[in-house]
Amino acid sequence: MVKLDDEEGAAVAPGHQPTNGYLLVPGGEPPGKVSAEPQNGPKAGCLTLNGVSRDSLAAPAEALCRPQTPLALEEETQTRLLPTGPGEETPGAEGSRVPQTALSARRFVVLLIFSLYSLVNAFQWIQYSIISNIFEGFYSVSSLHIDCLSMVYMLAYVPLIFPATWLLDTRGLRLTALLGSGLNCLGAWIKCASVEPHLFWVTMLGQCLCSVAQVFILGLPSRIASVWFGPKEVSTACATAVLGNQLGTAVGFLLPPVLVPNIQNNTDLLACNISTMFYGTSSVATFLFFLTIIAFKEKPQYPPSQAQAALQKNPPAEYSYKKSIKNLFRNIPFVLLLISYGIMTGAFYSVSTLLNQIILRYFEGEEVNAGKIGLTLVVAGMVGSILCGLWLDYTKTYNFFMTGYLPLGFEFAVEITYPESEGTSSGLLNAAAQIFGILFTLAQGKLTTEYNPQAGNIFLCVWMFLGIILTALIKSDLRRHNINIGIANGDIKAIPVEDTVEDSPTDQESKTVTMSKPSESAI
């Protein structure tokens, strides 16, 4: 596809971005010009190479102008290693060339390592709240102090997400992963030194480091899925990466009540139990940090999809993080998704933080059963995450809500904002979730304390109903999916990089125009 306007036929230098905010997606043209002249000139869809007319190209030009046969879907994500010279691209449909793509076996190792250290980070988030009454007694602090150990994850995320996503976009996936895993490990070890009734500030310090680590973790699932996985696996991969975090929350609901039972009359034994939990967590975090150093790589040798190949082959001449943020906030479907995702996920954060207090208000001494209720809540969402991921890989229908909302939101954001950075869109979604999570936790906690848990639940239900309405209003413009499908069918595409007020009415009506292909009789 090309943009049919006043600069049609203009040469595009290899490696440079076309003008007017369009990013050329390679679908088969060699370096040179793409011509879209009237039918009395060169045929539409044919190539003019370095200014040489079509009549002088003879047989090679006729081969380039043949109708293109669509690629099989499996050819889109697997390498056909033919004996080509260095730097050449993989032959695609007849008479065309598409970038060489491949699926690396290492992608499963990268996904597993990330999911596991994300699990440990989520475990450390909820390990205090689910037995809040026990920690209140051990450290002799109020329930608000223990709630702050959970809310610090949300508070730290909002101001730090912008430098963290900038780091991801400019320094890459591996460095961000090392920071997330390393800080998570360091925070876990600091907590081991806090097992004394007068050292609440030390456990808060360790939790603060873990909360900073979370900033370098939550935005990675969609980036890992895009960089390492093919189009038919990308949603499932993102769901699996998010599942690791959900599984950590589930384990955080289940294990602390078992490892640290309520024995307030024996402080020494209670301290020993808390120490066992902290040392076990830090040991696992350390092991995963070393695995990250050894096995976590920046990207595979070959891109896994045509959309990823397009971004790697045509990088923007000058990346602007500020401009990327502006582009995202101009995207109305993304703004609607931002609010609805924030509401839904923030409600989950609030319920998770306050679950122990809600249950023990009516069932005193039932810390273990409160943990099992939380486990059931999260496991149901985990099943939804995997099912939604599999469903999205084959249908690309994103308007669902609530169940499996975490991976769905990440992947939907990437689709409707392509080619903007996955880390930036995911980071903004998580920032919205943290903001709503803080507000909901404070409001629901106040209603639960001063009135009853039912008042807090009604408050959340009203907001979740609003989130459902906003989700239904989101328009599904699946840009990344369309790029993958279009290149597989031999099209040349132009995708918008930035909308400006100077865009002509024609630009605003249609951002991508399909170049007509000559028929057999025309050739």
Side-chain angles (χ1 to χ4, degrees):
M1 295 185 183
V2 293
K3 185 183 175 206
L4 302 179
D5 58 9
D6 54 323
E7 70 257 333
E8 61 188 12
V12 179
H16 288 271
Q17 181 177 324
T19 58
N20 252 16
Y22 284 84
L23 174 66
L24 185 63
V25 177
E29 78 282 10
K33 299 181 182 179
V34 178
S35 174
E37 300 181 21
Q39 293 299 321
N40 57 357
K43 296 295 182 182
C46 295
L47 299 174
T48 302
L49 301 179
N50 301 321
V52 183
S53 67
R54 176 179 180 272
D55 294 334
S56 63
L57 291 177
E62 293 179 5
L64 287 172
C65 295
R66 283 182 202 149
Q68 297 174 338
T69 305
L71 290 176
L73 286 177
E74 60 270 13
E75 292 176 339
E76 187 178 351
T77 57
Q78 295 182 6
T79 300
R80 289 168 295 162
L81 298 176
L82 300 179
T84 57
E88 293 186 17
E89 295 174 331
T90 304
E94 182 182 2
S96 70
R97 287 194 175 275
V98 296
Q100 189 179 44
T101 62
L103 292 180
S104 169
R106 184 183 287 270
R107 69 191 188 278
F108 297 113
V109 177
V110 170
L111 182 62
L112 177 62
I113 293 173
F114 170 79
S115 299
L116 290 176
Y117 77 72
S118 178
L119 180 155
V120 176
N121 184 259
F123 173 84
Q124 296 194 82
W125 164 58
I126 206 66
Q127 68 182 160
Y128 295 98
S129 296
I130 197 57
I131 50 175
S132 59
N133 60 313
I134 297 176
F135 279 107
E136 287 173 31
F138 182 76
Y139 287 115
S140 299
V141 295
S142 67
S143 60
L144 181 59
H145 284 81
I146 302 302
D147 289 345
C148 285
L149 290 170
S150 171
M151 286 191 292
V152 70
Y153 265 60
M154 310 173 205
L155 289 168
Y157 194 91
V158 178
L160 294 178
I161 182 54
F162 297 105
T165 51
W166 175 86
L167 186 74
L168 175 61
D169 292 337
T170 58
R171 296 294 182 266
L173 192 59
R174 175 175 164 81
L175 177 60
T176 306
L178 288 173
L179 282 173
S181 182
L183 288 172
N184 191 49
C185 175
L186 180 60
W189 280 108
I190 288 178
K191 290 181 185 180
C192 294
S194 70
V195 191
E196 293 289 343
H198 63 284
L199 294 179
F200 177 79
W201 68 272
V202 177
T203 208
M204 175 60 82
L205 176 61
Q207 190 76 339
C208 286
L209 283 176
C210 293
S211 68
V212 175
Q214 179 209 215
V215 181
F216 299 101
I217 293 174
L218 289 188
L220 263 60
S222 58
R223 173 64 67 91
I224 291 173
S226 297
V227 171
W228 283 91
F229 288 83
K232 295 178 71 174
E233 342 172 281
V234 66
S235 294
T236 305
C238 184
T240 304
V242 173
L243 181 143
N245 196 268
Q246 293 178 318
L247 183 59
T249 305
V251 176
F253 278 128
L254 182 64
L255 283 187
V258 175
L259 295 175
V260 188
N262 191 356
I263 45 174
Q264 297 288 357
N265 58 339
N266 191 337
T267 304
D268 292 338
L269 181 57
L270 182 59
C272 180
N273 292 335
I274 294 175
S275 181
T276 299
M277 180 173 69
F278 285 167
Y279 275 104
T281 305
S282 57
S283 299
V284 175
T286 303
F287 172 70
L288 292 173
F289 176 55
F290 284 116
L291 277 184
T292 306
I293 295 174
I294 295 170
F296 202 104
K297 302 300 181 183
E298 179 68 30
K299 62 182 180 180
Q301 181 179 2
Y302 298 103
S305 67
Q306 301 296 349
Q308 193 63 216
L311 292 177
Q312 293 181 13
K313 185 173 182 179
N314 298 275
E318 183 179 350
Y319 174 76
S320 172
Y321 181 69
K322 183 178 178 181
K323 187 178 296 184
S324 178
I325 295 289
K326 289 182 178 179
N327 290 343
L328 290 174
F329 278 105
R330 290 195 191 111
N331 189 320
I332 300 302
F334 176 75
V335 172
L336 292 174
L337 177 62
L338 187 70
I339 299 172
S340 62
Y341 182 91
I343 291 173
M344 295 297 190
T345 310
F348 169 72
Y349 290 163
S350 178
V351 171
S352 299
T353 301
L354 301 173
L355 183 61
N356 174 269
Q357 300 174 37
I358 294 172
I359 299 299
L360 295 188
R361 177 162 181 146
Y362 298 105
F363 307 98
E364 188 175 351
E366 294 293 337
E367 293 88 0
V368 174
N369 283 326
K372 291 179 180 178
I373 292 172
L375 174 67
T376 304
L377 172 70
V378 177
V379 168
M382 289 166 54
V383 174
S385 295
I386 295 298
L387 292 180
C388 282
L390 293 170
W391 176 263
L392 293 177
D393 276 330
Y394 286 94
T395 67
K396 301 299 179 183
T397 52
Y398 283 83
N399 287 69
F400 292 94
F401 51 85
M402 207 47 198
T403 300
Y405 207 99
L406 270 70
L408 186 152
F410 288 159
E411 279 302 291
F412 197 12
V414 174
E415 289 286 352
I416 64 179
T417 62
Y418 180 88
E420 300 297 342
S421 167
E422 304 93 340
T424 305
S425 60
S426 298
L428 289 175
L429 288 182
N430 281 318
Q434 311 300 334
I435 293 172
F436 277 103
I438 294 169
L439 297 176
F440 287 168
T441 300
L442 293 174
Q444 188 184 13
K446 190 76 171 176
L447 291 170
T448 300
T449 302
E450 296 193 359
Y451 297 95
N452 53 58
Q454 185 179 14
N457 291 338
I458 292 174
F459 168 79
L460 284 186
C461 287
V462 172
W463 278 97
M464 288 168 63
F465 181 72
L466 174 62
I468 292 171
I469 295 175
L470 293 176
T471 302
L473 295 176
I474 300 174
K475 181 182 178 182
S476 296
D477 180 17
L478 308 183
R479 299 180 181 181
R480 182 180 65 178
H481 176 66
N482 292 337
I483 290 297
N484 282 323
I485 295 300
I487 295 185
N489 289 334
D491 291 336
I492 302 172
K493 287 184 177 291
I495 55 177
V497 174
E498 178 187 9
D499 294 331
T500 62
V501 293
E502 291 83 5
D503 285 346
S504 66
T506 305
D507 294 339
Q508 296 171 356
E509 291 174 4
S510 177
K511 295 296 183 184
T512 305
V513 181
T514 307
M515 177 187 287
S516 60
K517 296 182 181 180
S519 63
E520 287 281 356
S521 58
I523 295 179

